[in-house]
Amino acid sequence: MELLAPAGGMDQLKAACAFGADAVYLAGRQFGMRAKAANFSDEELPEAVKIAHSQGAQVHLTCNIMMMEDDLNALPLFLELAQDAGVDALIIGDMGAFALAKRYAPKCKLHVSTQASVANSEAAKAWHALGATRIVCAREMTLQDISNMRQHIPDDLEIEAFAHGAQCMAVSGRCLISSYLTSRSGNRGECTQPCRWSYTLEEEKRRGLHFPVEEDGTSTFIMNAKDLNMAAHLQDLANAGVDSIKIEGRNKKAFYVASVVAAYRRALDAGHSDDIQQELAGISHRPYSTGFFYGSPEQATDFDGYEQETMHVADVLGTEDGRVFARCRNRFAEGEELEALTPRRAPFKIQVDDLKWHPEEQDPRSQAVDVANRSCATYSFKLAPDAPVPEAGSFLRVRRYRRSSRH
């Protein structure tokens, strides 16, 4: 199966490719469902495609918001730019946009977004007849649903399914709550995630008198979906006929993308293990579930927030004369044991020794310090003679449990 990773910006794209993604999906500055991500300008898109292709990864460009009449004026130029940039596939959810893509980007493959809610073989065959090469399954589908559809669609029509990451209460994304409450439409890429908020009930007879929606005496987040984690069930997805597994997360940082891609790469190449689940527990996440694949999904009704077992503390810039040079992201200290997350290798431990702060990245002057605590500043430390060496592009983390609430 193809491992398809999110790339909300250039750092995430580089991390996804380095840590083993077969393909990345990303957005331009228009028409994507994650408007708050960094995304890619018209000038950046060709460079992003070049970087991905140089590492053997394909690029799928999202063009899957709900299209309004005013969007149609800008869409042809956007599609032409995508084709000129070398984009391999367009992810589209609107039939009108699909028709324009065939006209203005005929060299790009056409994938049908989950926004189109394809959940049966007749819908899939209809899109295939129009020129689609891949269907991104509606998230409401079970494994049995996918297997049944696979048996009744053409062999050359690929199936893509989400395997990891945040889930939406309106599972295929066509939700009106954000638009209704905040005038920011989730169908236009601007969701404010009101399904994650806590809610109370107002008594009909006495306006202004509110009661919490309760479960065992505590308030509840009644629409707060758990995160998806199918790392232990990849063979079931393959048996159902899934060709590509998709990681959600175009609003996530590069460390998150690298961690999840590395875990799923290992699971695909070597089979699932408890170590892989430990890796996925390490990153920031809501409680995990298997979504709709085996039945009804689950909500995290008592808490809207994240937990994680590791903290990202630095990005490795390189090594020189037995020293690791890194950009600080969170606090770490002299003598502390760190873990290195390195492309195509299992994580390994290294010790911080002779920690120094470099006031200027290119300045050879340095100052010995006990703690690295200046965000984005450059620090270095000495490696033990027999220690494995983390290459540039690796991430350093520390075992530090954290639980945070969004509200």
Side-chain angles (χ1 to χ4, degrees):
M1 289 189 295
E2 175 188 81
L3 177 55
L4 177 59
M10 196 67 79
D11 289 344
Q12 293 91 325
L13 179 138
K14 292 177 180 178
C17 294
F19 281 81
D22 299 307
V24 295
Y25 67 103
L26 49 80
R29 294 290 168 80
Q30 304 178 81
F31 308 121
M33 286 293 290
R34 294 294 182 271
K36 290 189 291 185
N39 296 320
F40 294 83
S41 67
D42 294 346
E43 294 73 28
E44 292 170 330
L45 186 58
E47 180 63 17
V49 173
K50 182 179 178 181
I51 291 171
H53 285 178
S54 71
Q55 298 199 47
Q58 292 200 333
V59 176
H60 304 172
L61 181 67
T62 63
C63 185
N64 58 347
I65 63 168
M66 179 185 291
M67 296 287 174
M68 309 302 286
E69 193 66 29
D70 290 344
D71 294 320
L72 301 182
N73 293 327
L75 189 54
L77 178 59
F78 177 83
L79 294 167
E80 290 175 341
L81 287 169
Q83 178 171 278
D84 291 343
V87 166
D88 298 286
L90 296 165
I91 305 173
I92 297 179
D94 177 85
M95 191 171 291
F98 192 94
L100 289 176
K102 292 178 64 176
R103 191 183 314 164
Y104 291 99
K107 295 180 182 178
C108 296
K109 294 180 180 179
L110 299 179
H111 296 177
V112 181
S113 171
T114 191
Q115 298 298 115
S117 297
V118 176
N120 64 77
S121 60
E122 288 300 321
K125 287 188 288 187
W127 281 107
H128 181 258
L130 293 173
T133 60
R134 178 180 293 187
I135 297 297
V136 186
C137 290
R139 293 205 194 185
E140 295 89 337
M141 296 182 75
T142 66
L143 280 171
Q144 188 60 54
D145 292 333
I146 295 173
S147 178
N148 292 341
M149 184 173 74
R150 174 75 272 173
Q151 296 174 37
H152 296 94
I153 63 175
D155 291 341
D156 63 344
L157 180 57
E158 297 175 344
I159 294 177
E160 177 182 306
F162 281 92
H164 194 93
Q167 297 188 105
C168 176
M169 181 277 300
V171 181
S172 284
R174 298 183 299 174
C175 178
L176 297 177
I177 301 177
S178 182
S179 180
Y180 177 74
L181 293 179
T182 69
S183 298
R184 292 174 57 185
S185 174
N187 300 308
R188 301 279 293 170
E190 298 179 335
C191 183
T192 57
Q193 298 190 354
C195 58
R196 308 289 184 189
W197 302 351
S198 59
Y199 286 89
T200 62
L201 297 175
E202 181 180 51
E203 187 177 319
E204 180 181 6
K205 300 291 186 182
R206 293 178 288 177
R207 297 295 183 184
L209 185 60
H210 292 262
F211 298 92
V213 179
E214 293 187 342
E215 202 171 88
D216 297 330
T218 60
S219 61
T220 183
F221 297 83
I222 57 175
M223 295 178 285
N224 186 35
K226 290 185 176 181
D227 282 0
L228 180 64
N229 179 350
M230 286 291 287
H233 308 284
L234 298 185
Q235 190 58 54
D236 286 352
L237 288 165
N239 292 343
V242 172
D243 299 286
S244 175
I245 55 170
K246 188 172 194 171
I247 297 169
E248 184 277 337
R250 282 194 293 118
N251 282 331
K252 299 293 189 180
K253 302 295 185 183
F255 172 70
Y256 177 94
V257 173
S259 300
V260 180
V261 169
Y264 275 82
R265 182 76 274 159
R266 287 173 60 197
L268 285 169
D269 293 347
H272 179 260
S273 69
D274 291 339
D275 288 346
I276 289 171
Q277 286 300 338
Q278 291 175 8
E279 285 293 301
L280 295 173
I283 56 172
S284 177
H285 65 282
R286 298 182 182 88
Y288 283 133
S289 74
T290 55
F292 281 88
F293 286 118
Y294 297 100
S296 298
E298 299 174 346
Q299 313 286 5
T301 57
D302 61 342
F303 174 72
D304 176 28
Y306 303 90
E307 60 184 15
Q308 60 194 85
E309 296 180 4
T310 66
M311 178 72 70
H312 172 210
V313 296
D315 303 332
V316 176
L317 301 173
T319 58
E320 185 177 343
D321 298 328
R323 297 187 69 85
V324 176
F325 289 79
R327 178 170 290 112
C328 180
R329 297 300 184 185
N330 283 292
R331 181 186 182 279
F332 63 98
E334 173 75 17
E336 194 164 16
E337 185 178 73
L338 307 182
E339 295 177 354
L341 183 66
T342 300
R344 308 288 182 166
R345 295 162 66 184
F348 55 86
K349 296 178 180 180
I350 52 178
Q351 189 89 10
V352 179
D353 182 33
D354 189 27
L355 180 62
K356 293 183 178 181
W357 167 49
H358 299 261
E360 301 293 337
E361 189 169 324
Q362 302 300 322
D363 194 329
R365 295 176 299 174
S366 62
Q367 178 180 331
V369 293
D370 292 327
V371 179
N373 56 7
R374 295 174 173 88
S375 180
C376 295
T378 300
Y379 292 84
S380 72
F381 58 89
K382 186 168 59 177
L383 282 173
D386 58 347
V389 179
E391 63 189 75
S394 301
F395 298 89
L396 301 179
R397 66 192 186 191
V398 64
R399 288 284 156 182
R400 191 181 299 163
Y401 179 77
R402 183 184 179 191
R403 194 170 192 250
S404 59
S405 175
R406 289 178 2 110
H407 298 290

